[in-house]
Amino acid sequence: MVHPKQPPGQGDRSPTGEDAAIQRIGMLLKSRFGGPPPGETWSGDDAAVVSLPGVAGDHPSLLLTTDAVVAGVHIDLALVSLSDVGWKALTVAISDIAAMGGTPAHALVALGAPPGTDLDEIAEGIGEAAEQWCCPVVGGDLTAASQVMVSVAVTGSLEGPAPAVLRTGARPSDALFVTGWLGASAAGLRILRGGPASAPAIGESERAALELSHRRPRARLAEGRAAREAGATAMMDISDGLGIDLDRLARASGVGFVLDEVPVAPGATPEEARSGGEDYELLIAAPDDGSLPDRFEALGLRPPHRIGVCTADGGERRLGDATFEATGYEHRF
Amino acid sequence: MVHPKQPPGQGDRSPTGEDAAIQRIGMLLKSRFGGPPPGETWSGDDAAVVSLPGVAGDHPSLLLTTDAVVAGVHIDLALVSLSDVGWKALTVAISDIAAMGGTPAHALVALGAPPGTDLDEIAEGIGEAAEQWCCPVVGGDLTAASQVMVSVAVTGSLEGPAPAVLRTGARPSDALFVTGWLGASAAGLRILRGGPASAPAIGESERAALELSHRRPRARLAEGRAAREAGATAMMDISDGLGIDLDRLARASGVGFVLDEVPVAPGATPEEARSGGEDYELLIAAPDDGSLPDRFEALGLRPPHRIGVCTADGGERRLGDATFEATGYEHRF
């Protein structure tokens, strides 16, 4: 069944309160400077792409991003450890750098916590992630707060000549890829919560892997760089669920899409794969000529999943013959 | 009266819980990378001084800093507006860049707030400060939280050939300067709170000026750059009070000091000038040859106050003949 088509930017998902507020505030703040200089990207993508004063180059090459993780909002301290909070806060910011095709360079951490919080355990998780992603923490701030909150800012650079991959460049007939199975983080969270009876039956090692996906997400740095080198036209990380995030990419690029499949992580449900969020796999649009999978193979990376194609009708949102809803993960903790 | 002298690093102030935790966490995180590469400064100064990968230069010239302002901790929403919170959050981070002699380039803002908070008002204050300090907000994150918290990360650059001014370079016989009268912010807070009877009698315009000092601190960017150009040996901003902050600078540089005076803002008490904090004036050590005041004069800046000299005895802490206590402002809201 083919659903009624809608003009670009008028899909069946209303902007969430969060999206709307971010857009409004971003506009408020940009307007004071008349928007970014040519070639720069400010808020609205995974990371900002800017020039550093006094540093010349073919294109702006300093990446900047910030993310805050708040206990009780993004993460439940009854289910995960403080070191997991630290890991996650740094990793989700690093993932934004991955989503531009960049390489992280430095992290800054602002940490708020109630008295008596084990700060060293949070720092342990931050440090493990910093080491994992080769991104030293070069500064920080520490403050009292009523809940644990970790704000991380990360700088990144672009190796090689290709510019950053934005969300806005996807073209009709580009293929759409994701870098891994989806839904693992949501399934891990379900299991950590005690799991409903509807959970697919899985073994102990699969169970542990799903929990780990929730507690310790990965940033797809090598994949992001490979995609940029291979000529990806648009990219973002899947933080809020494929449903919402693919809708965002399509809107930003002014394209529609038709999906063939959504790769479901072993032990996850199709719904978790579609709307669970927090997988931090990359969603990539690239010319449908095999260059992206070839590049991944040449680098020894896991093959990306080709999930569908972009279409010229900016309102088209399909999975096979059905409408693909822009559902996802919206601050539901 | 001359007080017993103490070896460097063993002054009469124990590190506060905050200082100790920051130091411990900083060490934990640095140790994973074996500390900064030669020429770089990571945590421990007002801002980090790093190199950007692929960018050559005589010395590292990218400045990075982060600060968090939390309502109920740093700021009382019964006394100041949400736009003041936004202004302050950005300005205190900019002040860190000023304290290195740098020029701000970009800001990132992570904003947490309870449902129903007027986010636009916070953004208004952030935007006013961004415009004031010529530092566009290029990215951000927005999240639900149980209290208003604004984390700001700022990048900065160093114009001209001189390296960043750290806290560690003060030498015996260097003169000590501050860029303005002290105690205005603390006096403004006292007045906003309804003011004790002991307050000096002041007029309405002085009163308004003091309140403004608390609500809308200034970042001393021109003064910081002038100090760096004039050969300042050490510099920091006075965020926690001259008592604590001068102790920090002296410890970092391994010097003592003898002060002649502490310049007290009109309407403030000597105690507020010494320990009130949040003035964000710069504390500067520089050769005692007049080059710093001359440079300020040439640029049309207010003359800096020469408050005393550094001494070779790292334990010396004097104001005239009395001990100068390392008292200050420690999360007392």
Side-chain angles (χ1 to χ4, degrees):
Chain A
M1 189 176 94
V2 176
H3 285 257
K5 294 181 179 177
Q6 294 155 314
Q10 299 293 318
D12 52 7
R13 184 175 72 88
S14 304
T16 63
E18 189 188 347
D19 274 10
I22 287 176
Q23 249 179 28
R24 198 179 62 244
I25 291 175
M27 290 304 297
L28 268 177
L29 292 172
K30 274 184 197 178
S31 65
R32 291 182 178 266
F33 291 85
E40 293 199 3
T41 299
W42 291 0
S43 50
D45 219 292
D46 292 77
V49 190
V50 298
S51 299
L52 194 65
V55 175
D58 290 342
H59 52 76
S61 64
L62 176 60
L63 305 175
L64 298 174
T65 186
T66 189
D67 278 290
V69 168
V70 180
V73 177
H74 303 90
I75 209 159
D76 183 345
L77 287 178
L79 303 178
V80 305
S81 71
L82 285 170
S83 71
D84 292 334
V85 176
W87 172 284
K88 188 166 186 168
L90 193 73
T91 300
V92 301
I94 299 279
S95 176
D96 286 333
I97 300 295
M100 310 303 287
T103 302
H106 322 94
L108 298 167
V109 177
L111 176 55
T117 305
D118 187 344
L119 300 176
D120 290 9
E121 198 191 335
I122 302 176
E124 186 69 23
I126 293 170
E128 286 168 11
E131 202 169 331
Q132 177 70 49
W133 313 123
C134 292
C135 181
V137 177
V138 302
D141 191 22
L142 180 61
T143 172
S146 61
Q147 63 197 143
V148 171
M149 64 106 196
V150 189
S151 296
V152 175
V154 171
T155 69
S157 61
L158 294 168
E159 294 174 352
V165 185
L166 308 180
R167 295 181 180 183
T168 49
R171 297 162 305 195
S173 85
D174 280 349
L176 288 165
F177 299 90
V178 293
T179 52
W181 310 100
L182 301 178
S185 175
L189 177 59
R190 167 170 48 78
I191 292 168
L192 285 165
R193 282 177 169 158
S198 64
I202 53 169
E204 194 49 47
S205 71
E206 256 176 344
R207 184 186 171 96
L210 291 173
E211 289 183 6
L212 196 66
S213 296
H214 181 71
R215 294 195 300 107
R216 299 268 166 152
R218 317 284 302 175
R220 300 298 179 196
L221 286 165
E223 290 81 355
R225 283 191 295 257
R228 183 168 65 90
E229 290 160 6
T233 54
M235 182 156 59
M236 66 185 295
D237 69 346
I238 302 176
S239 55
D240 293 339
L242 182 65
I244 280 187
D245 288 328
L246 182 49
D247 182 69
R248 286 175 176 147
L249 185 139
R251 284 170 188 263
S253 292
V255 297
F257 58 81
V258 177
L259 302 186
D260 306 313
E261 60 142 356
V262 174
V264 182
T269 67
E271 174 55 24
E272 285 165 345
R274 182 190 291 213
S275 347
E278 300 207 305
D279 284 316
Y280 300 102
E281 298 292 349
L282 300 177
L283 169 63
I284 306 165
D288 201 7
D289 57 4
S291 54
L292 186 81
D294 287 352
R295 182 81 192 157
F296 274 51
E297 191 180 357
L299 292 168
L301 300 171
R302 284 188 316 182
H305 300 260
R306 185 185 178 288
I307 60 172
V309 290
C310 298
T311 62
D313 175 356
E316 192 168 37
R317 301 280 186 275
R318 284 205 287 125
L319 172 61
D321 285 338
T323 296
F324 189 71
E325 301 284 348
T327 55
Y329 180 101
E330 302 181 58
H331 282 218
R332 62 186 181 195
F333 284 90
Chain B
M1 187 177 94
V2 176
H3 286 258
K5 295 178 180 176
Q6 292 155 313
Q10 300 294 316
D12 52 8
R13 185 175 71 88
S14 305
T16 63
E18 188 188 347
D19 275 10
I22 287 176
Q23 249 180 30
R24 197 179 62 245
I25 290 175
M27 291 304 297
L28 268 177
L29 292 172
K30 275 184 196 178
S31 66
R32 291 181 178 268
F33 292 85
E40 293 199 3
T41 299
W42 292 359
S43 50
D45 219 292
D46 292 78
V49 189
V50 298
S51 299
L52 195 65
V55 176
D58 290 343
H59 52 74
S61 63
L62 177 61
L63 306 175
L64 297 173
T65 186
T66 188
D67 277 292
V69 168
V70 180
V73 176
H74 303 90
I75 209 159
D76 183 345
L77 287 178
L79 303 178
V80 305
S81 72
L82 285 170
S83 71
D84 292 335
V85 175
W87 172 283
K88 189 166 186 169
L90 192 74
T91 300
V92 302
I94 299 280
S95 176
D96 287 332
I97 299 296
M100 311 303 286
T103 302
H106 321 94
L108 299 167
V109 177
L111 176 55
T117 305
D118 187 344
L119 300 175
D120 291 10
E121 198 190 336
I122 302 177
E124 185 68 23
I126 293 170
E128 286 167 10
E131 202 169 332
Q132 177 69 50
W133 314 123
C134 294
C135 181
V137 177
V138 301
D141 191 23
L142 181 60
T143 171
S146 60
Q147 63 197 142
V148 171
M149 63 106 196
V150 188
S151 295
V152 175
V154 171
T155 69
S157 62
L158 294 167
E159 293 174 353
V165 185
L166 308 181
R167 296 182 180 182
T168 50
R171 297 161 307 194
S173 85
D174 279 350
L176 287 165
F177 299 90
V178 293
T179 50
W181 311 99
L182 302 178
S185 175
L189 177 59
R190 167 170 49 78
I191 292 168
L192 285 164
R193 282 176 170 159
S198 65
I202 53 169
E204 195 49 48
S205 71
E206 257 175 342
R207 184 187 170 96
L210 292 174
E211 289 183 6
L212 195 66
S213 296
H214 180 72
R215 293 195 301 106
R216 299 267 168 153
R218 316 284 301 174
R220 299 299 180 197
L221 286 165
E223 291 81 356
R225 283 191 294 257
R228 182 168 65 91
E229 290 160 8
T233 55
M235 182 155 61
M236 66 185 295
D237 69 347
I238 303 176
S239 55
D240 293 340
L242 182 64
I244 280 188
D245 288 328
L246 182 49
D247 182 70
R248 286 176 175 147
L249 185 140
R251 285 171 188 263
S253 292
V255 297
F257 58 81
V258 177
L259 302 186
D260 306 314
E261 60 143 355
V262 175
V264 182
T269 67
E271 174 57 24
E272 285 165 345
R274 182 190 290 212
S275 347
E278 300 207 305
D279 283 316
Y280 300 101
E281 297 293 348
L282 299 177
L283 168 63
I284 305 166
D288 200 8
D289 57 4
S291 54
L292 186 79
D294 288 353
R295 182 81 193 158
F296 274 51
E297 192 180 355
L299 293 169
L301 299 172
R302 284 188 315 182
H305 299 261
R306 184 186 179 286
I307 60 171
V309 291
C310 298
T311 62
D313 175 355
E316 193 168 35
R317 301 280 187 276
R318 284 203 289 125
L319 171 61
D321 285 339
T323 297
F324 189 71
E325 303 283 349
T327 54
Y329 181 101
E330 302 180 59
H331 282 217
R332 64 186 179 193
F333 284 89

